[in-house]
Amino acid sequence: MYSFKKISLKESKECHAIDLITIGLWSFKQWEKELKKEYVYAFAYFKNRKIIGLCVFQKIFCNAEITYFSIHPTFQRKGFGKKLFRETFKHCKEFAIEKIILEVSEKNIAAINFYQFFGFKTIGIRKNYYKNGSNALLQEKKLLKK
């Protein structure tokens, strides 16, 4: 059975485990720190109460910055990323978020195509942003009109 819900600090260990086998972005302590912040919202897609996908964003006034997004490798390219994004967007609209921003490596073509599918546009480039020297594309999607 699949479900979607907001996650909290108690899931930090499971979040870190998914992170280790996907992007390797944060340490366990960083996950704990991130999930404690009042302005951070974390959502997950579950299969039988096990996390299969994560989306974390920071609410900054009327904007959201996605700081983490990944799907467990076993469940990639099966539509779960799209489902997770759609559910996250619903919550962003409930929070009156006007636009969403994120960063993606210029070398991550699959992610770029995924974000373009949802209407994200590149609005800037951060040169040599990643450890491997690749640039980060700053992308934006407008949700609500002012």
Side-chain angles (χ1 to χ4, degrees):
M1 183 167 106
Y2 296 99
S3 61
F4 172 86
K5 73 171 190 161
K6 186 174 186 231
I7 56 174
S8 64
L9 184 59
K10 66 181 179 178
E11 284 99 1
S12 56
K13 188 174 182 181
E14 196 172 354
C15 292
H16 182 243
I18 295 267
D19 188 12
L20 284 173
I21 59 173
T22 55
I23 358 185
L25 187 62
W26 295 333
S27 69
F28 176 68
K29 293 245 186 252
Q30 287 171 305
W31 272 103
E32 285 186 317
K33 184 178 176 184
E34 198 69 14
L35 294 175
K36 286 179 183 176
K37 295 176 183 173
E38 276 187 40
Y39 55 91
V40 168
Y41 297 86
F43 295 95
Y45 214 74
F46 292 80
K47 180 180 181 186
N48 300 326
R49 290 182 276 207
K50 298 290 275 177
I51 295 175
I52 63 169
L54 292 163
C55 184
V56 180
F57 68 87
Q58 295 183 7
K59 184 177 183 290
I60 307 162
F61 301 106
C62 58
N63 299 322
E65 180 182 0
I66 294 177
T67 55
Y68 186 90
F69 184 85
S70 74
I71 302 294
H72 188 287
T74 303
F75 298 94
Q76 291 177 359
R77 292 177 176 67
K78 295 182 180 176
F80 293 105
K82 289 179 181 177
K83 289 178 183 182
L84 179 57
F85 241 33
R86 285 185 183 113
E87 289 293 332
T88 301
F89 290 163
K90 285 181 193 175
H91 286 279
C92 285
K93 288 178 182 178
E94 289 171 11
F95 298 139
I97 298 293
E98 294 176 6
K99 69 179 175 181
I100 301 172
I101 59 172
L102 57 81
E103 294 165 351
V104 61
S105 170
E106 66 185 354
K107 295 183 180 204
N108 192 343
I109 302 304
I112 292 167
N113 290 336
F114 178 81
Y115 299 136
Q116 284 178 344
F117 175 84
F118 282 98
F120 281 84
K121 306 280 186 220
T122 299
I123 58 167
I125 298 175
R126 292 191 172 137
K127 299 283 186 187
N128 302 313
Y129 186 75
Y130 295 103
K131 290 177 188 175
N132 66 4
S134 66
N135 298 328
L137 303 179
L138 182 59
Q139 297 200 324
E140 173 186 270
K141 175 184 175 62
K142 295 185 179 175
L143 290 182
L144 301 175
K145 305 275 190 246
K146 286 186 179 181

